[in-house]
Amino acid sequence: MASLKKFLKSKDYIKIPLVFTETNHFEIVAQINGVSGKFILDTGASNTCVGFDKIAFFEMVSEATEIKAAGAGATEMETLISNKNKIQIGDWKKKKLKIVLFDLTHVNQALINHNATPVDGIIGADVLEKGKAIIDYNKKCLYLKK
C-alpha cells in the first residue's frame, strides 16, 4: 500500500510542515496579504483570526461587527471583520478570505507563560475546510488540496 504522502500527492494535495510546541499546539507559517506570520493551527476555532495589533502589519481593512468571540478562558470579546484577504500556506492559496480580528493578548500571554513565543493569529476550521485539510499528527504535517 502506498504511503499517505504519496497517495495525497497523487490527489493534488500540498504537504505543509507543522511545528509542535511546548504548549502542545501545532504552529504554522502562513502569509496574509503577502506578509508572513506565525499562527496556531486550531481545528476547534471556527474562523481564522488575527490579533488587533496585527491589522496594519497584514495590510488588512477592517470593519465593525456584532459578532462576539469566545475562546479558551475568554468570552464575549469584541471583534472586527476583514474581508477579501489573500492567504497562502506553503504553495496553497486562497483569495477573498474573511478573517476575524480580536484581542489575542490572553492567548499570547498564555504562550509566554509556558515559554512559547507569541503568535500573530489562528488558522481555523474555515481555512481547513476550504483546503480539505488532512492533518498527519505522527509526521507533523498538514495537507491541503490545491
Side-chain angles (χ1 to χ4, degrees):
M1 184 170 167
S3 71
L4 179 63
K5 178 181 171 181
K6 286 180 184 176
F7 174 76
L8 291 175
K9 186 175 180 180
S10 75
K11 300 293 183 187
D12 287 329
Y13 275 81
I14 297 165
K15 181 182 176 185
I16 297 133
L18 299 171
V19 175
F20 194 67
T21 70
E22 292 291 323
T23 58
N24 295 328
H25 292 99
F26 278 128
E27 283 183 359
I28 190 166
V29 173
Q31 289 183 11
I32 304 290
N33 301 325
V35 180
S36 282
K38 186 165 55 167
F39 295 81
I40 289 174
L41 185 70
D42 188 348
T43 60
S46 52
N47 295 94
T48 294
C49 307
V50 167
F52 284 146
D53 61 331
K54 299 294 181 174
I55 294 171
F57 180 74
F58 287 115
E59 302 172 9
M60 303 171 91
V61 176
S62 62
E63 55 189 68
T65 179
E66 297 295 317
I67 298 168
K68 301 286 185 195
T75 59
E76 293 295 308
M77 295 180 289
E78 297 295 323
T79 65
L80 296 172
I81 198 87
S82 180
N83 294 299
K84 298 181 183 174
N85 296 285
K86 296 179 212 163
I87 187 168
Q88 181 171 345
I89 303 172
D91 290 332
W92 183 85
K93 299 175 187 177
K94 282 292 176 204
K95 295 179 181 176
K96 299 181 182 178
L97 178 68
K98 176 183 80 174
I99 297 176
V100 175
L101 308 164
F102 73 103
D103 185 356
L104 283 176
T105 304
H106 70 286
V107 171
N108 281 323
Q109 189 58 54
L111 291 170
I112 290 165
N113 290 347
H114 288 91
N115 299 317
T117 55
V119 295
D120 300 309
I122 297 164
I123 300 296
D126 56 340
V127 166
L128 298 175
E129 184 178 9
K130 283 178 179 39
K132 299 181 180 176
I134 296 171
I135 300 170
D136 185 338
Y137 287 89
N138 188 44
K139 301 282 186 186
K140 297 178 181 61
C141 60
L142 169 69
Y143 293 91
L144 296 173
K145 189 163 177 69
K146 286 184 191 177

